[in-house]
Amino acid sequence: MSTIDSDAADILLEKANQSKTDTIVIDAKFDNVDSLSIDKNTITSLNTILSESETVDYVKLNVGDSSLILNSQSLGSIATVLEAGGSRTVIILKEITDKDSFDKLKDNTIYEFSIKKSDGSPLNLTNAGTMRVTVPAGSAANPESKEIYFVDNNHIIEKCNTTYDPDSNTYTFLTDHNSYYAALGNDVKTFEDLATGEDTSTEGNIEATFTLNGPMPNGYEEYIVDFVVSVITKDTNGFVIDLTGNTYLPSASEPSASVAIDAKNYNVEPNASGEYKIYLSDVWSKIKVASGVNDYSNKFIVSNVFNDAYIGGTAVAKVSNISGLDYDADVTIQMIMYDAKADKSSNYFALSNALAKTLTKSNFEEFAIGNLINDGTDGKGTYEVEFVLPTDESKYPGNDYDEYIVDFILNVETSDTVFKLDFDGKTAFANGTPTNVKVQLTSFEVKSETGVYAPIYFSDIFAKDTMNNGGRVYNSFFTLSNVWSAGKGGSATATVSNITDLDDTVDVSLTMIMYKDSDNKSNHMVLSKPVTGSVEKSKVAEVEI
């Protein structure tokens, strides 16, 4: 074993700067060395250097004939675990020679890549990011025909992104696990064969349909089945999405009502690394679900999901209406399983292929500024918002959106499926002069199948207000280019009042939006931040129509 102590970090940084490289190299290339011990202070110092340096991004650890490249996220994850308890970490990179415990895999070349505390206990890394490992092909027969797979003692779990270099006779692979790995042919079966993911996205959303192939993986009956949406972006400030999930029994054309999820305006918390993981189980626990089953782990276990009755059925996960995204993002959706007793973020097994898409920047929410005039607690149940359009040309989303339809969406969060409201909408030019675009409807009926969120669109109310719309077709003149040319610096005011037939206090929000397809309004982009208010139950009960 080779050892690195805390005085080394600054020296290594100086060497990297002198070499004009973006990588600090810690060299333990000695015969018979297959592990490297680094003290906690050195890990912390290296992580600080990578976080603060403008020139150095990686640390490369040469361990015997193998190497490991870590970024700041990986080092930060190791440092966090050591801070909770542990003075040193031991990194092991070696080919396993005693393979008796691997049973079915023992005829293959197997490697150990482990990160442990000095007492030998493994580090349970959370959000370790992507680590780059290079190992010698060693005893592998026909190494050019093989790739590296993440394995345990008897199961082939997941294929790694692998490159074989014939000149050095080495494999380089990417992983976020510290575990065992094997060099195997491309025809092996993994857990990823248990479900097949198909990209069923339409414009404006990312959708993946997973077909259950089975069979049930023996020994994992009590593992949790989940879906993970991974988002990698330069945006570290978080964003908002709609996430829906439906399941279909084999040959069924309608989704199962007992296993469904519909999360509107789900808030994804900021992440300093820009690497987000959104788990269906976490979303499930935060919202009211159709099945009424709040304990996800009791229902979605392997023995239930991969029951013979469900093989051939499908699960559909959809991400839409992403807002607040300041940069483009790479998104993947994958079906996974994990031990309920372990941390799922670093210990899950893939059950399907990962479906990848790119989300474009969606943050146009500074286009219009919403001001709350009346928050609904005035004693009359009135909620009123004014939106002011900018005059700054740089705020315009761009010519690609000229023909998008501008609309307003009122969201009412309630357990009721039918209620009524009065709506009054007015617009004004920049000088305050009223325009002829207005609506006024009383007792407008709202119906919502789930009753969780009831979306109400200004365009739908406009279409019903025949007195004020003069027979005009909303989509023919409410395009973004028209609104911009006529309304710079102007305003739109919406007033909601007399909400009746509700059994509880309701939270409301109004957002300016735009969409390409009027038949698919739910796939919209936001043009303002939501302006929130509420209507108290007692006030609702006092309203008279």
Side-chain angles (χ1 to χ4, degrees):
M1 179 187 296
S2 187
T3 302
I4 300 293
D5 291 310
S6 56
D7 293 338
D10 291 335
I11 298 173
L12 293 167
L13 173 61
E14 182 62 27
K15 286 184 177 181
N17 288 333
Q18 289 175 355
S19 302
K20 297 182 179 180
T21 176
D22 64 353
T23 303
I24 290 176
V25 178
I26 298 177
D27 208 342
K29 280 194 169 185
F30 308 111
D31 291 341
N32 301 317
V33 170
D34 57 21
S35 61
L36 179 64
S37 174
I38 310 177
D39 77 355
K40 176 173 65 177
N41 292 334
T42 301
I43 292 290
T44 301
S45 297
L46 290 170
N47 180 46
T48 301
I49 288 172
L50 263 61
S51 300
E52 297 178 354
S53 174
E54 295 181 359
T55 58
V56 177
D57 298 316
Y58 305 99
V59 169
K60 182 178 182 181
L61 308 175
N62 289 322
V63 184
D65 294 330
S66 304
S67 67
L68 169 66
I69 296 179
L70 304 172
N71 58 19
S72 179
Q73 182 178 354
S74 305
L75 283 169
S77 182
I78 296 172
T80 298
V81 176
L82 290 179
E83 285 297 328
S87 59
R88 308 186 71 87
T89 184
V90 178
I91 297 172
I92 300 173
L93 275 170
K94 66 179 182 180
E95 181 179 341
I96 299 293
T97 54
D98 182 4
K99 297 183 285 189
D100 289 343
S101 63
F102 287 87
D103 193 17
K104 299 175 184 177
L105 299 175
K106 63 184 179 182
D107 293 332
N108 300 282
T109 303
I110 299 174
Y111 304 93
E112 178 184 356
F113 163 43
S114 59
I115 304 177
K116 300 180 178 181
K117 297 181 182 178
S118 55
D119 63 5
S121 59
L123 265 66
N124 186 11
L125 300 181
T126 302
N127 293 325
T130 300
M131 298 176 282
R132 182 183 296 269
V133 182
T134 299
V135 291
S139 60
N142 302 315
E144 70 283 351
S145 65
K146 293 181 168 61
E147 295 190 69
I148 300 298
Y149 287 76
F150 171 32
V151 302
D152 66 10
N153 289 61
N154 286 301
H155 295 90
I156 301 164
I157 297 168
E158 185 178 10
K159 182 193 291 186
C160 301
N161 186 333
T162 307
T163 301
Y164 172 70
D165 181 358
D167 293 334
S168 60
N169 194 33
T170 58
Y171 295 112
T172 297
F173 62 95
L174 306 180
T175 183
D176 57 3
H177 298 282
N178 67 79
S179 185
Y180 293 104
Y181 294 84
L184 305 171
N186 292 321
D187 57 345
V188 299
K189 289 185 70 65
T190 69
F191 284 153
E192 291 185 18
D193 297 309
L194 295 181
T196 301
E198 180 184 0
D199 182 1
T200 52
S201 302
T202 56
E203 187 170 0
N205 67 64
I206 294 178
E207 182 180 271
T209 299
F210 298 90
T211 302
L212 301 182
N213 303 322
M216 186 185 303
N218 294 328
Y220 295 86
E221 288 83 357
E222 297 304 311
Y223 272 49
I224 309 300
V225 176
D226 207 344
F227 294 89
V228 58
V229 179
S230 299
V231 180
I232 299 177
T233 175
K234 292 181 180 179
D235 187 344
T236 61
N237 297 317
F239 45 90
V240 177
I241 61 171
D242 288 356
L243 180 62
T244 58
N246 287 299
T247 55
Y248 295 77
L249 292 171
S251 303
S253 58
E254 295 296 325
S256 171
S258 63
V259 185
I261 186 171
D262 188 10
K264 302 289 188 185
N265 298 323
Y266 181 77
N267 187 47
V268 180
E269 297 293 334
N271 186 316
S273 71
E275 294 189 14
Y276 301 85
K277 287 187 182 294
I278 307 156
Y279 296 90
L280 182 70
S281 55
D282 293 339
V283 179
W284 181 283
S285 66
K286 289 185 178 181
I287 70 168
K288 177 183 176 182
V289 293
S291 67
V293 179
N294 293 320
D295 190 351
Y296 185 95
S297 61
N298 282 345
K299 190 177 187 72
F300 291 95
I301 58 176
V302 166
S303 58
N304 285 345
V305 174
F306 286 94
N307 183 292
D308 287 344
Y310 301 129
I311 300 301
T314 58
V316 181
K318 182 171 74 171
V319 176
S320 59
N321 297 342
I322 189 164
S323 61
L325 190 64
D326 298 326
Y327 297 88
D328 289 357
D330 294 323
V331 181
T332 59
I333 303 179
Q334 193 167 33
M335 191 174 183
I336 63 174
M337 72 175 179
Y338 48 82
D339 186 345
K341 299 176 183 178
D343 174 48
K344 61 191 172 191
S345 66
S346 58
N347 290 286
Y348 65 72
F349 302 149
L351 296 180
S352 75
N353 51 311
L355 298 174
K357 299 285 285 186
T358 298
L359 277 174
T360 56
K361 170 186 172 180
S362 66
N363 190 5
F364 302 123
E365 59 186 19
E366 299 295 337
F367 177 71
I369 304 299
N371 302 303
L372 186 63
I373 299 173
N374 198 322
D375 66 1
T377 59
D378 62 345
K380 300 178 182 179
T382 302
Y383 163 70
E384 188 172 13
V385 179
E386 179 188 53
F387 290 90
V388 179
L389 275 66
T391 56
D392 185 354
E393 296 282 347
S394 67
K395 298 288 186 182
Y396 190 73
N399 294 337
D400 289 343
Y401 301 98
D402 283 349
E403 298 306 311
Y404 274 57
I405 309 303
V406 176
D407 207 341
F408 296 88
I409 182 171
L410 173 71
N411 268 317
V412 181
E413 184 177 359
T414 172
S415 58
D416 288 279
T417 56
V418 180
F419 56 92
K420 295 178 181 178
L421 56 81
D422 291 354
F423 187 91
D424 189 2
K426 299 176 182 177
T427 58
F429 294 111
N431 60 7
T433 303
T435 76
N436 64 351
V437 178
K438 58 184 178 180
V439 295
Q440 189 171 24
L441 277 182
T442 58
S443 298
F444 179 75
E445 186 174 73
V446 180
K447 293 183 179 180
S448 171
E449 292 182 3
T450 63
V452 179
Y453 285 88
I456 304 153
Y457 294 91
F458 174 75
S459 55
D460 293 338
I461 297 175
F462 184 89
K464 291 191 175 184
D465 183 12
T466 56
M467 181 178 294
N468 286 304
N469 67 23
R472 291 174 294 183
V473 177
Y474 187 90
N475 293 354
S476 66
F477 69 97
F478 257 98
T479 62
L480 182 65
S481 58
N482 285 346
V483 169
W484 176 245
S485 62
K488 293 179 186 177
S491 64
T493 303
T495 304
V496 178
S497 58
N498 294 345
I499 303 180
T500 60
D501 301 330
L502 287 176
D503 296 331
D504 205 347
T505 296
V506 295
D507 294 324
V508 295
S509 68
L510 192 65
T511 310
M512 190 174 183
I513 63 172
M514 67 176 178
Y515 45 79
K516 185 174 184 179
D517 184 0
S518 59
D519 293 328
N520 197 13
K521 297 177 184 177
S522 63
N523 291 319
H524 58 251
M525 305 176 81
V526 299
L527 294 175
S528 75
K529 293 180 179 178
V531 182
T532 59
S534 65
V535 178
E536 299 175 13
K537 177 181 178 181
S538 60
K539 305 300 187 263
V540 172
E542 296 168 4
V543 170
E544 294 181 2
I545 300 178

